[in-house]
Amino acid sequence: MTLRRRDLLNTLGYGIGTAWLGRMPALAAALESDPQDPAIWPSLVTGIFNDQTLEDGRGILELEAPYRAENAAIVPIGMKVHLASGDPRSLQKLWLIVDENPSPLVGEFNIGPHSGLRELRTRIRINAYSDVHAVAKLSDGKLYMVKAFVKAAGGCSAPMVEASASPAQIGKMQFRRLGGYTDLSPKRVEGVLMIRHPNNSGLQMDPISMLYIPAHFVQKIDIWQGKDLILSMEGGISISQDPHFRFDYNSNGAEDVHVRAVDTKGAVFEQSWKLGKPTI
Amino acid sequence: MRWIFLLLLLGCPTRAARALGATQPFALHKVAEGIYTHIGAIALMNAGNEGGIANLSFIIGDKGIAVIDTGGSVREGRRFLAAIRTLSHKPILYVINTHVHPDHVFGNGAFVAPGTIFVGSRKLPATLSAQGPYYLKSFAPAMGPAMLADVTIVPPTLLVDRKLRLDLGDRVLILKAWAGGHSGTDISVEDMRTKTLVAGDLLFVRHIPVVDDSLLGYLADTRELALSDAATIVPGHGPVPQDWHRAVAKQAAYLETIKAELQADLKQGKGLAQSVQHVGESQRAQWQLFDDYNARNATTGFAELEWK
């Protein structure tokens, strides 16, 4: 495992945008520690949050994670922020971290300032029994953390399914807007974005060559409605094959949703969907 | 059909048997003339059962023997080989792996010998080399390092593209590669003399069907299996059914149910986490190990159907 982690660091160098580069030494130190070492979380706090104080997020941030992952390569995870109706604070950013994964930081999610996004669901790989941490930054500038424990093993090296392995499929996208939830205010809608991409973790083996498939994953996704950003993600290898995001937001009346995704080979996938005016 | 139950005590509690970890006799059922099956436990692989959860079969012809699946550990494979040798000393000509899963192939090492040819799906060598190391790692906690230490990944050298004919002298076996759905590497073995179809995990009896590759593919395979003209079908898990048509229909009903419920959830915009909590629940009483596999089947099916 240690060897694989080192290999990953060497080959990948966490080339996931410059914002990550400054964090490499701390992450590297954390990654080379024993997988069961409880000290990994403090070193991740140093690496990712620069030792900023993390408040107890219980009651504010809810992390939905199964106690046992049915399929370690597709573990559904949800993050939801609960703010009382008079609370002036808003959600600015979310982080998702799987402590024991070769690349613990699953993703950073910047929330569009006018989006009203409070809930985000995705699917991730979990390589070992692990704590999963979610951190939310609110407009008060503070970081709120919650965690859950997930029993899963082998998610990062689980062989990929054939469907999105074919080059012709890579980058195909679907966006769906759901609505009609009675507990949501009239302008509240829900969006689902799906992208066909192998999101190779760099830990999967090519069946023919017996060599590790180089890491190849979607590293950035921006989602807009009209000119307003809903969500911007920077992600790593722990996002499942065929990246999938589901989120709620305030519809601003724009007729189109636009998505731009970039993978680690520099391929850009862009698509717009005409939705028609919100009917509610 | 007349059933003969054979108890093969491996030399009773001899030192050799104990050394093999043979705490229980290795039971064989006679399925048809010259065809025997060991019925695996309906359980998850663990150190206590030596990974012995899959059905293992062999067919004796006058030129030699074809072994179909080898068990979930080399220990189980050795016990299976010892049991075969109590009935026949003919050479083992073929070892056929019905698919890639560890409970069917981890015993391969016990059968490696000059003159024995390993047979599998055209897709098996690649899938085995891709998934073998992953299986070894992910089954280590349940099986323990000792049980897996001598397990080697033995790929087939004789491959089934569509159909393959194997001649055991006085009987011919037809091997058929299926579209895939259970594992993507599934083949069946039919003995043409007795019309016995050894189906591997194309058919589950009592043990809940496991969808590892594709829900729609598995459903298609199950429907095709229903059209078989076999007299007897040996499932990959669970007892050999008296009425295989009923067993196949039951499996199809389970797969149809989860497909329909997943499609309904997708139409309503339900998410994966929400959907897998209830899909298939009406089938719970029909199957053993429901809690171990149903949600996983639903997860695989959901990720597949949402792109349709």
Side-chain angles (χ1 to χ4, degrees), chain A residues 28-66:
Chain A
L31 290 172
E32 287 177 13
S33 62
D34 182 81
Q36 298 306 321
D37 184 355
I40 193 165
W41 174 242
S43 61
L44 290 169
V45 174
T46 304
I48 299 169
F49 302 104
N50 200 20
D51 283 332
Q52 204 177 333
T53 305
L54 300 181
E55 313 286 340
D56 182 348
R58 281 175 293 183
I60 292 175
L61 179 59
E62 182 186 346
L63 175 59
E64 290 174 14

Side-chain angles (χ1 to χ4, degrees), chain B residues 235-248:
Chain B
H237 294 266
V240 181
Q242 297 282 355
D243 175 359
W244 69 253
H245 289 93
R246 253 180 74 187
V248 171

Side-chain angles (χ1 to χ4, degrees), chain A residues 123 154 157 159 194 207 210 246, chain B residues 126 129 131 134 137 269 302 306:
Chain A
R123 298 174 194 167
S157 54
M194 299 162 32
M210 295 290 287
R246 179 176 175 138
Chain B
S129 59
Q131 303 197 0
Y134 166 67
K137 197 177 75 181
F302 191 99
E306 70 187 350

Side-chain angles (χ1 to χ4, degrees), chain B residues 44-276:
Chain B
L44 302 181
M45 289 172 73
N46 59 46
N49 62 30
E50 300 183 341
I53 63 164
N55 293 347
L56 314 177
S57 302
F58 60 101
I59 302 175
I60 307 172
D62 63 5
K63 281 188 352 197
I65 298 170
V67 169
I68 305 163
D69 289 335
T70 59
S73 64
V74 175
R75 284 193 214 186
E76 193 198 8
R78 287 198 193 108
R79 293 179 64 203
F80 182 35
L81 177 58
I84 293 169
R85 286 301 175 224
T86 63
L87 289 181
S88 170
H89 281 88
K90 288 186 175 156
I92 293 175
L93 300 175
Y94 302 103
V95 170
I96 302 162
N97 288 130
T98 57
H99 63 291
V100 70
H101 287 154
D103 47 329
H104 300 260
V105 305
F106 272 9
N108 278 7
F111 291 88
V112 174
T116 299
I117 297 168
F118 284 74
V119 189
S121 155
R122 176 183 55 78
K123 291 183 184 169
L124 186 60
T127 311
L128 205 51
S129 59
Q131 303 197 0
Y134 166 67
Y135 288 145
L136 280 169
K137 197 177 75 181
S138 56
F139 279 88
M143 293 284 283
M147 193 66 72
L148 295 181
D150 54 356
V151 171
T152 50
I153 303 299
V154 183
T157 54
L158 181 59
L159 304 182
V160 187
D161 203 350
R162 284 178 171 175
K163 285 199 174 175
L164 180 73
R165 186 178 181 275
L166 297 180
D167 190 349
L168 296 183
D170 58 343
R171 66 202 314 163
V172 166
L173 308 181
I174 300 294
L175 280 58
K176 171 178 155 69
W178 292 68
H182 169 67
S183 76
T185 56
D186 303 290
I187 61 170
S188 61
V189 182
E190 184 160 15
D191 171 54
M192 301 313 283
R193 196 168 84 188
T194 63
K195 296 304 282 179
T196 302
L197 181 70
V198 182
D201 286 2
L202 292 165
L203 180 63
F204 281 79
V205 174
R206 293 190 194 165
H207 182 308
I208 186 171
V210 177
V211 185
D212 194 35
D213 185 52
S214 151
L215 175 61
L216 298 179
Y218 201 11
L219 199 47
D221 280 353
T222 304
R223 286 185 187 132
E224 192 180 338
L225 189 63
L227 305 176
S228 168
D229 63 352
T232 305
I233 296 186
V234 179
H237 294 266
V240 181
Q242 297 282 355
D243 175 359
W244 69 253
H245 289 93
R246 253 180 74 187
V248 171
K250 190 180 159 191
Q251 173 167 301
Y254 169 73
L255 298 173
E256 292 279 12
T257 300
I258 60 172
K259 179 190 162 201
E261 291 178 4
L262 286 168
Q263 283 174 331
D265 280 2
L266 282 162
K267 208 172 166 187
Q268 289 173 36
K270 282 188 185 153
L272 170 62
Q274 196 185 0
S275 188
V276 299

Side-chain angles (χ1 to χ4, degrees), chain A residues 1 4 64 68 70-76 121 123 127 129 153-155 157-162 172-174 176 178 181 190 192 194-196 205-208 210 242-244 246, chain B residues 44 123 125-135 137-138 141 184 212-213 266-274 276 291-297 299-300 302-304 306-308:
Chain A
M1 202 61 222
R4 279 190 180 175
E64 290 174 14
R68 196 189 78 160
E70 302 299 343
N71 179 342
I74 318 174
V75 184
R121 291 194 168 81
R123 298 174 194 167
N127 206 43
Y129 287 21
S157 54
M160 63 179 155
V161 185
E162 262 177 43
K172 288 205 170 160
M173 288 193 258
Q174 277 188 22
R176 280 184 290 149
L178 314 165
Y181 288 92
E190 223 180 338
V192 179
M194 299 162 32
I195 304 177
R196 278 277 195 218
M205 197 177 275
D206 183 298
I208 309 296
M210 295 290 287
D242 299 336
H244 186 286
R246 179 176 175 138
Chain B
L44 302 181
K123 291 183 184 169
T127 311
L128 205 51
S129 59
Q131 303 197 0
Y134 166 67
Y135 288 145
K137 197 177 75 181
S138 56
D212 194 35
D213 185 52
L266 282 162
K267 208 172 166 187
Q268 289 173 36
K270 282 188 185 153
L272 170 62
Q274 196 185 0
V276 299
D291 285 326
D292 293 293
Y293 291 108
N294 180 66
R296 177 179 146 178
N297 292 343
T299 303
T300 307
F302 191 99
E304 178 184 354
E306 70 187 350
W307 282 95
K308 301 292 172 195

